[in-house]
Amino acid sequence: RREQARLKASVVEEDTEEWQKDPNFTGLERVGGVDLSYIKGDESRACASLVVLSYPALEVLYQDCRMVPISAPYVAGFLAFREVPVLVEAVQRLQQEEPQLQPQVLLVDGNGLLHPRGFGTACHLGVLTDLPCIGVAKNLLQVDGLVRDELHREQVRSLQKSGEAFPLTGTSGKVLGMVLRSCNNSSKPLYVSVGHRVSLGTAVRLVRACCRFRIPEPVRQADIRSREFLRK
């Protein structure tokens, strides 16, 4: 908790890049995605996957998939301590081997500010790499009074088409993220939250711009590749 609080002080919740301020993201050329896949029954190893896609074409420019040892146990609310170290290493390898392909923003399969202590995996990775980061979760983390009750389900059903969204406001009054319908073909929403060096509005626009299917392409490609690596 102390370490989370110390790192949280460095989180920047607003746009810091010129491309973020442009409605069309002019100047954005490379979007990264990260994912970890585990073998069923083996908690000591995982496949860490980092991909970089071109923008706006969303074609894979770079991929790094490898088996990594996982030393920290899973503890709810502290997932980042288990997963972020190996993701930081993947980013550092890219910076050393192919610096010209460094992503200008990272999409993380997980939460950012939408977290019991306001410091999820996307914040943790963002602060340690100093890259803009966005949390993209498939399920609602029930924090600060947020619950998946009938009212929430009703609001989700009200999202009729791609790009429609509503804010997640906790009982504290703070907006912790947005619920986004990311494509017309899936009524299941995404839970988007700020990681680091990006505003919530920009985060939602970029996630939507990266979606061909429900899951944004950088995270989807990282996931596909890590599962394929494990299968082989």
Side-chain angles (χ1 to χ4, degrees):
R1 282 170 184 263
R2 271 201 308 273
E3 178 70 355
Q4 276 183 335
R6 184 182 73 78
L7 292 170
K8 185 179 189 291
S10 301
V11 171
V12 177
E13 297 179 36
E14 58 212 34
D15 295 330
T16 59
E17 310 302 297
E18 281 307 310
W19 61 263
Q20 293 167 329
K21 295 160 190 170
D22 185 294
N24 302 312
F25 297 130
T26 306
L28 177 61
E29 296 173 353
R30 296 173 307 284
V31 181
V34 292
D35 184 69
L36 257 74
S37 289
Y38 294 85
I39 303 169
K40 251 198 173 74
D42 183 359
E43 293 290 297
S44 65
R45 295 182 307 150
C47 176
S49 173
L50 164 66
V51 298
V52 182
L53 275 59
S54 63
Y55 186 88
L58 301 177
E59 287 164 356
V60 177
L61 303 174
Y62 173 93
Q63 68 170 34
D64 177 359
C65 287
R66 60 183 71 198
M67 294 305 294
V68 292
I70 300 290
S71 54
Y74 172 72
V75 181
F78 298 95
L79 178 68
F81 289 97
R82 181 173 164 85
E83 300 195 339
V84 165
V86 295
L87 297 175
V88 170
E89 284 172 13
V91 171
Q92 289 170 340
R93 272 196 303 277
L94 165 60
Q95 288 168 333
Q96 284 158 6
E97 293 165 15
E98 304 269 7
Q100 75 283 5
L101 292 179
Q102 168 159 301
Q104 293 160 280
V105 59
L106 278 173
L107 270 57
V108 179
D109 179 14
N111 291 296
L113 297 178
L114 182 55
H115 177 270
R117 286 167 301 284
F119 194 73
T121 305
C123 297
H124 208 124
L125 184 61
V127 168
L128 292 186
T129 59
D130 199 32
L131 290 172
C133 266
I134 297 169
V136 186
K138 296 184 279 290
N139 298 300
L140 174 64
L141 190 61
Q142 304 195 15
V143 298
D144 193 13
L146 297 173
V147 283
R148 279 191 59 198
D149 57 8
E150 189 47 44
L151 173 63
H152 180 77
R153 287 191 281 270
E154 186 58 44
Q155 286 179 295
V156 168
R157 284 194 290 270
S158 75
L159 303 177
Q160 290 297 308
K161 57 181 195 285
S162 164
E164 291 187 353
F166 65 85
L168 283 166
T169 308
T171 47
S172 63
K174 185 170 169 61
V175 175
L176 300 174
M178 293 284 278
V179 184
L180 169 70
R181 179 158 181 167
S182 55
C183 75
N184 287 325
N185 300 342
S186 176
S187 58
K188 289 182 174 177
L190 294 175
Y191 296 89
V192 180
S193 56
V194 168
H196 183 51
R197 291 178 55 183
V198 64
S199 68
L200 184 55
T202 298
V204 170
R205 282 196 305 121
L206 182 62
V207 169
R208 188 197 172 200
C210 289
C211 285
R212 288 177 175 157
F213 305 96
R214 178 193 172 205
I215 307 298
E217 209 59 16
V219 172
R220 186 173 161 269
Q221 290 298 332
D223 177 61
I224 287 171
R225 284 162 166 72
S226 62
R227 286 175 196 272
E228 178 67 9
F229 190 93
L230 285 185
R231 202 177 58 74
K232 285 179 174 167

